[in-house]
Amino acid sequence: MSAAILLLIGLVMMSLGYLVYSRFIAKHIYRLDPDFRTPAHEFEDGIDFVPTNRFVLWGHHFTSVAGAAPIVGPAIAVIWGWLPAFLWVVMGTIFFAGVHDMGAIWASVRNKAKSVGSLTGDVVGKRARSIFMIVIFLVLLMVNAVFAVVIAKLMMNFPTAVLPVWGAIVVALIVGQLIYRRIISLPVVSVIGVVALYALIWAGPSVPIQMPAEVAGMSGNAVWILLLFLYAGIASVLPVWMLLQPRDYINGLQLFVGLLILYGAIALLNPVLVAPMINNDVPAGTPSLLPLLFVTIACGAISGFHGLVASGTTSKQLNKETDARFVGYFGAIGEGCLSLAAILVACAGFASLTDWKAMYSAFGQGGVTAFVQGGAYVIHNGLGLPEVTAATLLTVMAALFAGTTMDTGLRLQRYIFQEWGEIYNQQWMKKPLPATLLAIGSCLLLAFGAGGADGSGGMIIWPLFGTTNQLLAGLTLLVITVMLVHMRRPMWYTLLPLCFLLIMTVLALVLQLKTFFEQENYFLLGLDIVVLVAAILVALECAAALKRHRALAAAEQSDAS
Amino acid sequence: MPAERGDNWRAWLSQARFFLEESYSARYRGAIARSRRDHDDLFMLLVFSEMMGVPNPASYYTLELQPLLLERFHDWHRRMGMEHSPLDHFRCC
């Protein structure tokens, strides 16, 4: 199968999804109203509530939700063959993610731009909100621990990327100063920043930095993980203008350039997918496709993290309600396109099936490494860029995504600790430094507790990240569905994805429970039980809330007649 | 129509600049505005307590303000006709 044709099919299907399905959902289900006064206008304060141009808001939304997950998940899931991953990414984006993201913005906009967490409290109930807080904490914990492992692994495997990855932080610090002190105008700084970043990528292969196999009794991998947490800790307490803002901005520009390069290379080279369409010869220990495919690919198809961004900041800046379709649905399409590129290069970027099988020798192998190696092969042959430079480019792209999500994630986790300090009246916990240390400590506990001295506990819990994240998406869909029932509108378009997600999540959790028990891995067993209990509670809350609101809607209808 | 073409080009450039500036600031607008407000609050506390002779609870934190104040302080003593900082313990140039 030709990768360029598959790319074309994927893009056409997603375009149709945007042009036809999203229009239908926006018009008939959410009934987006151009005259509705959005919270950005109603509460305009120049701080949080600011009506924003929809193209700008789309960029903000897309770069906020795009982390390393749309690359890692699909690049692991192609172990079952390219077809299941392709179908889930394309169909999941069209029927699940787009509807979920647009719905999260709509639900929030219709409720004074409240976050989906507090909306759950209002619409579903207090119990559901408590589950929500725990699920959000777990998702952030896993994101931070997983991404630290992903970046550390990348730096161990691709020493040429170490200079550009850490150099990007220096570039961001300088860009931040240049903009903040108004030394040079933004367009010029943007060009300088991007050129500096690509110069580092170009220089990376000449200055490879290899961490020694052992430093002070610790493996090189573990040292990178500790350094990354040290960086994320510092970044999360620094003022945002100093590092996070310029870093995210340069990273966003780089994302668009990277995607263009990848798509251009695939179109020009038109490589053949060497991976099997459906892989019947999976390595020993690989779990079954159903249900694990649907939790391994989280971002890229549907992801609960998107709901947090959609209702957290995006809804406060929506200029017109009808923009929710472009920002939310098309934001999901952007993420789907990134995943599609990851699938194509992880399946077509190898010379033969034997090479591909050597990469995917066990479940959890491949991942970002397959994306980088496969992508480098495609870019090298398609655009003529030296393979080592192309590999550095893709490694930097993946590591920067993971890094920016990690430092934001740690900041958010710190807020949760501070909030708990507020709730339980613990003065010391309300302060930024102890809260940050608690956030880092919990991540390190997971990384080294579950992964041993290597610190790779994050990777072991990757399938659990998928289930927890899907649970978060389920909660958001529940809020939207309950609102639709209350408004007496068709609810199947959100209820069916919700049921599908819950069934797959619970199935995956039960299967993993058995595996962890057999492996005597009691740490993951405990974590699995927590998520499973949360999933069952969500299912019960779903049933109760829907029943209650249907009865309420019926009573209101009979009163009216 | 070279003049009209030039105007179009300038309009396009200013639009591109607007997009860049908005995409830079949109995501962190709130956080930065809040941080600026916190600085103002601290400054208010500082000035108020100095004026009223109240023991200043903020002096511990004023070190954080030094990078912000340094440039303004320098401009101030130059405007006042002093070549160098008049304070022995606060030499800015």
Side-chain angles (χ1 to χ4, degrees):
Chain A
M1 178 74 180
S2 141
I5 293 179
L6 200 63
L7 173 67
L8 194 69
I9 295 173
L11 291 181
V12 168
M13 283 168 78
M14 285 200 263
S15 310
L16 282 177
Y18 176 68
L19 293 173
V20 181
Y21 190 62
S22 81
R23 196 184 295 266
F24 166 76
I25 296 284
K27 200 171 170 193
H28 297 286
I29 310 299
Y30 299 143
R31 296 185 197 160
L32 302 182
D33 175 8
D35 298 323
F36 179 78
R37 197 166 143 79
T38 59
H41 289 283
E42 198 176 345
F43 308 114
E44 187 169 354
D45 61 0
I47 298 180
D48 292 319
F49 296 88
V50 182
T52 304
N53 178 291
R54 67 183 182 142
F55 293 101
V56 172
L57 196 56
W58 177 81
H60 153 74
H61 182 79
F62 174 46
T63 50
S64 299
V65 296
I71 298 172
V72 183
I76 290 179
V78 290
I79 198 161
W80 292 293
W82 57 261
L83 187 67
F86 173 79
L87 285 179
W88 174 233
V89 161
V90 174
M91 296 300 178
T93 299
I94 297 172
F95 295 107
F96 288 67
V99 176
H100 167 274
D101 294 10
M102 174 166 53
I105 299 178
W106 167 76
S108 175
V109 163
R110 287 273 157 174
N111 287 286
K112 300 185 173 140
K114 281 187 188 165
S115 74
V116 78
S118 56
L119 261 183
T120 313
D122 291 355
V123 179
V124 188
K126 294 268 185 300
R127 260 197 319 263
R129 192 175 60 189
S130 306
I131 308 170
F132 201 89
M133 276 285 274
I134 296 170
V135 173
I136 292 178
F137 179 77
L138 281 177
V139 165
L140 289 174
L141 182 69
M142 290 174 183
V143 162
N144 295 336
V146 166
F147 286 3
V149 181
V150 170
I151 309 175
K153 203 169 148 192
L154 279 175
M155 286 196 282
M156 288 301 282
N157 290 344
F158 301 97
T160 55
V162 175
L163 176 78
V165 167
W166 291 93
I169 298 171
V170 181
V171 171
L173 280 169
I174 297 171
V175 163
Q177 292 293 329
L178 290 178
I179 296 174
Y180 184 70
R181 301 194 184 283
R182 295 177 194 280
I183 297 172
I184 313 177
S185 77
L186 186 62
V188 183
V189 181
S190 312
V191 174
I192 293 175
V194 174
V195 169
L197 188 63
Y198 280 94
L200 282 172
I201 291 172
W202 176 76
S206 328
V207 201
I209 300 168
Q210 180 81 58
M211 179 70 80
E214 202 181 292
V215 183
M218 281 189 295
S219 68
N221 202 48
V223 175
W224 275 132
I225 292 176
L226 284 177
L227 283 176
L228 282 164
F229 275 114
L230 182 70
Y231 152 74
I234 295 172
S236 74
V237 286
L238 279 180
V240 286
W241 65 265
M242 212 180 256
L243 179 58
L244 291 194
Q245 188 180 28
R247 189 166 146 82
D248 283 347
Y249 176 70
I250 297 289
N251 195 32
L253 294 179
Q254 189 251 154
L255 165 70
F256 293 113
V257 178
L259 259 183
L260 275 180
I261 291 178
L262 264 183
Y263 275 172
I266 293 172
L268 282 175
L269 178 68
N270 190 13
V272 175
L273 296 163
V274 291
M277 187 159 86
I278 293 172
N279 191 7
N280 294 317
D281 181 28
V282 288
T286 305
S288 68
L289 181 151
L290 198 89
L292 256 285
L293 171 77
F294 302 98
V295 290
T296 305
I297 304 181
C299 300
I302 185 165
S303 159
F305 208 74
H306 294 197
L308 297 184
V309 176
S311 66
T313 51
T314 309
S315 62
K316 294 181 178 67
Q317 302 177 53
L318 201 74
N319 185 29
K320 278 197 326 196
E321 198 183 52
T322 39
D323 290 351
R325 178 173 160 242
F326 180 75
V327 176
Y329 200 99
F330 202 63
I333 297 268
E335 190 105 347
C337 289
L338 189 58
S339 286
L340 191 59
I343 291 175
L344 291 176
V345 297
C347 291
F350 296 87
S352 65
L353 180 60
T354 321
D355 287 354
W356 185 83
K357 284 206 161 166
M359 171 60 74
Y360 286 89
S361 56
F363 182 66
Q365 294 297 309
V368 183
T369 314
F371 168 75
V372 171
Q373 281 190 8
Y377 175 89
V378 174
I379 293 176
H380 169 63
N381 292 301
L383 300 175
L385 218 63
E387 200 156 347
V388 65
T389 311
T392 311
L393 174 94
L394 293 173
T395 309
V396 174
M397 187 168 150
L400 287 189
F401 283 158
T404 50
T405 310
M406 201 178 142
D407 48 34
T408 313
L410 210 63
R411 187 177 279 260
L412 293 174
Q413 220 181 341
R414 180 187 103 203
Y415 291 155
I416 291 187
F417 273 112
Q418 285 180 297
E419 212 168 294
W420 279 337
E422 198 84 44
I423 294 171
Y424 299 111
N425 205 16
Q426 296 291 322
Q427 288 300 329
W428 63 276
M429 222 202 230
K430 288 189 208 166
K431 293 184 184 137
L433 193 65
T436 307
L437 289 178
L438 277 177
I440 296 178
S442 56
C443 292
L444 286 178
L445 194 71
L446 182 59
F448 287 91
D454 198 31
S456 53
M459 216 58 221
I460 299 171
I461 52 138
W462 179 253
L464 271 186
F465 162 75
T467 43
T468 320
N469 194 33
Q470 302 302 58
L471 202 59
L472 201 59
L475 267 169
T476 309
L477 281 173
L478 170 65
V479 171
I480 301 168
T481 311
V482 169
M483 277 179 66
L484 288 174
V485 168
H486 196 79
M487 292 167 155
R488 276 172 266 143
R489 291 187 194 168
M491 59 171 178
W492 297 109
Y493 302 90
T494 51
L495 187 64
L496 286 179
L498 166 62
C499 294
F500 182 82
L501 273 188
L502 279 183
I503 291 169
M504 289 303 152
T505 306
V506 171
L507 262 181
L509 283 166
V510 171
L511 278 180
Q512 284 171 336
L513 203 67
K514 190 169 158 273
T515 317
F516 296 146
F517 185 71
E518 282 165 2
Q519 291 169 348
E520 296 183 359
N521 190 340
Y522 296 113
F523 178 75
L524 286 185
L525 188 76
L527 213 57
D528 192 304
I529 291 172
V530 171
V531 184
L532 186 62
V533 168
I536 293 169
L537 286 176
V538 169
L540 291 175
E541 288 289 339
C542 280
L546 286 174
K547 209 172 153 188
R548 200 169 58 236
H549 278 268
R550 285 190 84 156
L552 209 68
E556 277 175 14
Q557 196 165 22
S558 66
D559 279 355
S561 60
Chain B
M1 309 272 178
E4 198 175 306
R5 200 174 301 147
D7 285 348
N8 285 345
W9 182 235
R10 258 191 293 278
W12 189 88
L13 272 183
S14 86
Q15 193 69 9
R17 192 194 170 102
F18 164 78
F19 273 117
L20 281 179
E21 276 173 1
E22 278 293 287
S23 23
Y24 184 77
S25 58
R27 194 164 165 186
Y28 289 104
R29 197 183 275 127
I32 287 179
R34 260 191 298 277
S35 167
R36 182 167 292 162
R37 193 186 55 195
D38 287 349
H39 275 297
D40 284 347
D41 288 350
L42 187 62
F43 200 72
M44 159 86 190
L45 183 67
L46 184 81
V47 171
F48 187 77
S49 54
E50 285 298 323
M51 280 172 64
M52 296 296 173
V54 180
N56 181 5
S59 49
Y60 173 72
Y61 295 101
T62 46
L63 207 59
E64 203 182 309
L65 288 172
Q66 193 184 339
L68 289 175
L69 289 178
L70 203 64
E71 282 176 26
R72 285 161 70 176
F73 181 75
H74 178 71
D75 292 343
W76 168 80
H77 74 69
R78 296 288 293 271
R79 270 202 305 277
M80 300 306 274
M82 287 173 270
E83 188 64 22
H84 296 289
S85 160
L87 304 177
D88 285 340
H89 58 282
F90 197 81
R91 296 221 156 268
C92 70
C93 50

